[in-house]
Amino acid sequence: MKGIVLAGGNGTRLHPITLGVSKQLLPVYNKPMIYYPLSVLMLAGIKEIEIISAPGDLPGFQRLLGDGSSLGITLTYAAQDEPRGIADAFLVSADHIGSDSVALVLGDNIFHGARFPTLLQRVTQDVNGCILFGHPVRDPERYGVAVLDEGGNLIALEEKPARPRTNLAVTGLYLYDNNVVEIARGLKPSPRGELEITDVNNVYLERGEATLIEMGRGFVWLDTGTHEALMEAGQYVQVLEHRQGVRIACLEEIALIMGYIDRDACYLLGSQLEKTSYGQYIMEVAKAG
């Protein structure tokens, strides 16, 4: 399975702070925002990942992450010259996807939960059709909403409905088989000229090939697209890390846990940041083995 982090867009809801920098390079407490979605793909066991962003923002991501080799993964980069909808990512990254299945995660989404890595590794083993993840929210009219029948089967998807039938929002993590590229190519753009991800998902739903996994208690999903949400996400990470003494979305630790790098390589990465508590944490993790 290949991975995509969609880190494009203009971040207009976060202006003026995103007028000079990509939203996904902003800090969420003690690390760049893009660490969080990238950690999701790494935890899923995906090692070949493409980051999509605006041409002017790509050098910032490349300076931050390089080619991924220090983390034992392969990172490539692709330019999206203007926002054309989430589903455009499959056209931009068609060569990267090749003949594989693909996991797409939005660059401003944060996922967390003790059972989340196990869930990811299980569902990414064999993707036939489309797998979505739903999370209850108090304002479902802001999101794509999923409707399930009494047996928990997905029966409808509604994009930002004025009167939502459920409070189950479709999160920014999507798993697809290889047919998604051809489906995206066949989409009709919305009135805004965008290729909508809900249209992709509805094609799979009509084929009877769409599944939704409910993420209820024990799972956290945060969308950092507004000033308030960005601050709340930082506070969540700060409190949890302070209380538990762990780091959320620590890429170096994840690379070690997943066997992508060894302890020596992990320690070296930490030593390069030794003047920070983040770097000291990485060195302690590496020494602990």
Side-chain angles (χ1 to χ4, degrees), residues 21-238:
V21 63
S22 169
K23 171 175 62 176
Q24 290 82 11
L25 290 174
L26 295 175
V28 178
Y29 183 45
N30 56 2
K31 59 190 76 71
M33 185 187 297
I34 196 168
Y35 274 37
Y36 297 87
L38 186 55
S39 72
V40 170
L41 299 181
M42 291 176 63
L43 285 169
I46 299 170
K47 299 180 67 175
E48 295 179 59
I49 300 167
E50 186 150 89
I51 296 173
I52 299 175
S53 193
D57 291 327
L58 284 177
F61 291 107
Q62 291 169 323
R63 283 194 302 272
L64 175 67
L65 299 166
D67 63 3
S69 58
S70 64
L71 296 170
I73 62 176
T74 300
L75 293 178
T76 54
Y77 300 86
Q80 187 183 48
D81 54 3
E82 61 181 50
R84 288 188 293 269
I86 296 173
D88 183 57
F90 303 115
L91 305 186
V92 173
S93 290
D95 290 342
H96 167 68
I97 297 169
S99 59
D100 291 324
S101 55
V102 61
L104 169 66
V105 61
L106 302 187
D108 62 357
N109 276 215
I110 295 175
F111 296 85
H112 185 245
R115 293 180 289 126
F116 190 53
T118 302
L119 172 64
L120 282 176
Q121 292 162 26
R122 175 173 59 82
V123 299
T124 54
Q125 289 300 310
D126 185 23
V127 177
N128 291 307
C130 158
I131 299 176
L132 309 174
F133 298 82
H135 195 283
V137 295
R138 66 168 181 245
D139 50 356
E141 65 277 0
R142 293 182 51 227
Y143 303 94
V145 174
V147 181
L148 308 179
D149 64 17
E150 293 181 356
N153 300 304
L154 182 63
I155 57 173
L157 293 165
E158 303 172 345
E159 183 63 26
K160 297 180 180 177
R163 296 182 177 180
R165 294 160 62 184
T166 76
N167 71 335
L168 196 60
V170 178
T171 73
L173 175 61
Y174 315 88
L175 309 180
Y176 300 98
D177 62 20
N178 192 253
N179 292 323
V180 71
V181 177
E182 209 54 43
I183 290 172
R185 285 197 180 108
L187 291 183
K188 180 180 178 182
S190 71
R192 296 184 300 172
E194 297 184 350
L195 300 181
E196 301 287 354
I197 196 69
T198 299
D199 292 342
V200 171
N201 298 336
N202 273 321
V203 170
Y204 279 103
L205 183 60
E206 291 167 4
R207 295 177 177 179
E209 298 176 349
T211 302
L212 184 130
I213 296 174
E214 292 188 73
M215 300 170 62
R217 291 182 181 273
F219 294 97
V220 174
W221 169 56
L222 302 172
D223 176 349
T224 58
T226 68
H227 299 101
E228 293 78 11
L230 181 60
M231 181 172 290
E232 290 172 358
Q235 291 170 338
Y236 171 82
V237 174
Q238 179 189 27

Side-chain angles (χ1 to χ4, degrees), residues 218-262:
F219 294 97
V220 174
W221 169 56
L222 302 172
D223 176 349
T224 58
T226 68
H227 299 101
E228 293 78 11
L230 181 60
M231 181 172 290
E232 290 172 358
Q235 291 170 338
Y236 171 82
V237 174
Q238 179 189 27
V239 169
L240 204 63
E241 290 191 352
H242 178 72
R243 293 279 187 176
Q244 298 185 355
V246 298
R247 293 291 185 270
I248 298 173
C250 177
L251 300 184
E252 296 84 357
E253 180 180 22
I254 292 170
L256 178 62
I257 291 171
M258 297 298 294
Y260 300 162
I261 60 175
D262 60 24

